[in-house]
Amino acid sequence: MKRREFIKKAGVGAVAAGAVIAGAPVAHAQKTIEITLVTTWPRDFPGLGTGAQRFAKRLSDMTNGRMKVNYYAAGERVKAFDSFDEVASGNAQMYHCAEYYWKGKHPGWAYFCSVPFGLTYTEMNAWIRFGGGQELYDELGAEFGVKGLLCGNTGSQMGGWFRKEINSPDDLKGLKMRIPGLGGDVMAKLGASTVSLPGSQIYENLISGSIDATEWVGPWNDAFMKFYEAAKYYYYPGMHEPGAALGIGMNKKWWDGLSTSDQLIIEAAAAMENDYMMAEFNTRNGESLAKLVTEQGVKLREFNDDVYDAFGEAAAEVFEETRKHSPLAAKIHDSFAKARKEVGGWMKISDQAYLNQRNRVLDF
């Protein structure tokens, strides 16, 4: 073949190939997914609110804006405690909350946040990821049209702020205290009058005397709320929330309609926030506690054994009543209790034993 003819035929072939390529099916850009996220937290509230906002931003960033998250703090779209119904009904796609707020719908929800004498952050992650917890979380959520994922943790919380010292179980009788979840049920067993208030309403009720005591989270959040202006006795450790997990709840029908890859992106963003939030709380709580004591005159107190034993007896009654609620409630409790025994047994001779010895040697 002559050189000129070869070049001519090669050119025709290239044009034809280009035409084939040009005419080939082209994958369309994936459409934007609009997400309405409602929360139970005030906007920019340290840790809880900012963690939810960080999750929302990360979800958008991870998809280059394809997942467009419209974030609403408590009261901006619906009231804090209306978030669950807003998502279950399909009016919003996601909520961010402490799941024990929904224990009135089913007591099983409390276990996926925190319960008295419950799981620490490390133990909670173990139960949810590898101990059957997520499967039960899904089973409970399916009854309400919701899909839940862990999305944050505050770690072990403080026992609360009190106007007076708590030296015996009798000191709890008649006490008006803000404490939700099964922890509130324990306090009620001991004679306290308990209420569940959203974070935005606690200070005004404490300062006015409508309540005598409150628990919230820990030094970082509590200092921000200025509870020390109304109550000076700050008790630890909190039996009610030893590792309070926060959840991202999604409308199940919406979740089921997502692609597998989009579901994995949401799971990854939630898991990242679960880790980030805990790290931030551990960092901020230490520095905040020192300031509360040295600058605000807060009196740090530890619940004595008599009080803690009373907590334990009341918690046993609450758990038994919870198990009787329904077969699913019993199933969730029994799975949780198994994890507490097995994972907790390992923690006793690993992290806990090491920390006790390390702190003894270093004298702190």
Side-chain angles (χ1 to χ4, degrees):
M1 182 183 294
K2 293 182 179 180
R3 179 173 180 273
R4 184 175 294 178
E5 291 179 356
F6 174 79
I7 292 174
K8 183 178 180 180
K9 290 182 178 181
V12 171
V15 172
V20 171
I21 293 172
V26 178
H28 294 289
Q30 290 177 291
K31 66 179 182 180
T32 298
I33 298 176
E34 290 270 355
I35 298 173
T36 295
L37 170 59
V38 293
T39 75
T40 57
W41 322 117
R43 183 171 287 273
D44 298 326
F45 187 81
L48 306 174
T50 55
Q53 290 164 224
R54 184 167 52 204
F55 164 77
K57 182 178 185 302
R58 183 178 292 121
L59 201 54
S60 293
D61 290 346
M62 288 172 69
T63 59
N64 292 319
R66 186 171 58 80
M67 288 188 181
K68 183 181 178 182
V69 183
N70 301 303
Y71 179 92
Y72 295 93
E76 293 181 355
R77 181 182 172 99
V78 295
K79 294 179 180 179
F81 291 163
D82 290 334
S83 298
F84 185 97
D85 291 338
E86 185 74 356
V87 171
S89 68
N91 289 333
Q93 288 72 48
M94 294 182 177
Y95 64 68
H96 189 273
C97 76
E99 299 280 25
Y100 64 21
Y101 287 151
W102 324 131
K103 84 174 185 71
K105 298 178 182 295
H106 192 291
W109 284 111
Y111 290 83
F112 301 103
C113 175
S114 197
V115 297
F117 294 85
L119 306 176
T120 64
Y121 166 75
T122 302
E123 293 168 333
M124 174 65 83
N125 283 353
W127 178 48
I128 292 293
R129 311 286 189 207
F130 293 97
Q134 184 65 57
E135 290 77 5
L136 291 168
Y137 199 178
D138 290 343
E139 185 175 347
L140 175 61
E143 292 193 2
F144 297 88
V146 170
K147 162 69 179 180
L149 296 169
L150 294 184
C151 190
N153 201 298
T154 68
S156 297
Q157 295 194 3
M158 294 291 284
W161 296 85
F162 297 80
R163 295 179 184 278
K164 65 177 185 179
E165 289 189 87
I166 306 299
N167 295 313
S168 76
D170 287 341
D171 291 329
L172 299 172
K173 293 179 179 178
L175 195 75
K176 292 177 292 184
M177 184 174 185
R178 183 271 180 191
I179 177 169
L182 297 186
D185 294 343
V186 168
M187 284 296 196
K189 290 281 186 187
L190 297 174
S193 175
T194 64
V195 295
S196 182
L197 296 169
S200 60
Q201 297 177 22
I202 300 174
Y203 177 83
E204 61 188 71
N205 279 273
L206 190 63
I207 204 77
S208 70
S210 295
I211 55 175
D212 304 311
T214 186
E215 64 76 42
W216 181 227
V217 183
W220 181 31
N221 280 172
D222 295 5
F224 179 83
M225 299 286 271
K226 297 184 178 181
F227 293 143
Y228 55 81
E229 294 182 351
K232 288 295 185 181
Y233 294 103
Y234 198 24
Y235 274 84
Y236 74 96
M239 59 83 192
H240 61 301
E241 294 186 50
L246 304 179
I248 193 79
M250 293 165 285
N251 178 273
K252 189 174 186 303
K253 185 177 180 180
W254 176 82
W255 167 264
D256 290 343
L258 296 175
S259 67
T260 299
S261 60
D262 283 341
Q263 289 179 348
L264 288 172
I265 289 171
I266 294 172
E267 288 181 3
M272 288 177 69
E273 186 52 42
N274 199 55
D275 177 50
Y276 267 65
M277 188 183 291
M278 184 70 265
E280 186 171 28
F281 267 102
N282 278 336
T283 301
R284 306 299 178 210
N285 276 334
E287 59 191 32
S288 297
L289 179 61
K291 290 181 180 179
L292 282 171
V293 174
T294 60
E295 297 178 12
Q296 305 300 337
V298 169
K299 300 175 181 178
L300 193 61
R301 297 286 188 271
E302 182 176 8
F303 287 124
N304 62 41
D305 289 350
D306 288 343
V307 173
Y308 235 84
D309 288 345
F311 287 156
E313 292 173 5
E317 292 181 32
V318 169
F319 282 139
E320 190 55 35
E321 292 170 0
T322 301
R323 289 186 79 260
K324 292 178 180 178
H325 173 273
S326 61
L328 181 54
K331 188 177 177 182
I332 292 171
H333 175 83
D334 292 347
S335 176
F336 146 84
K338 181 174 183 290
R340 182 175 59 181
K341 181 177 181 180
E342 294 177 352
V343 181
W346 163 242
M347 298 302 295
K348 181 179 179 179
I349 65 170
S350 56
D351 290 35
Q352 182 179 333
Y354 163 71
L355 287 172
N356 288 341
Q357 288 289 20
R358 184 197 69 180
N359 294 350
R360 181 188 64 82
V361 171
L362 300 180
D363 194 27
F364 66 86

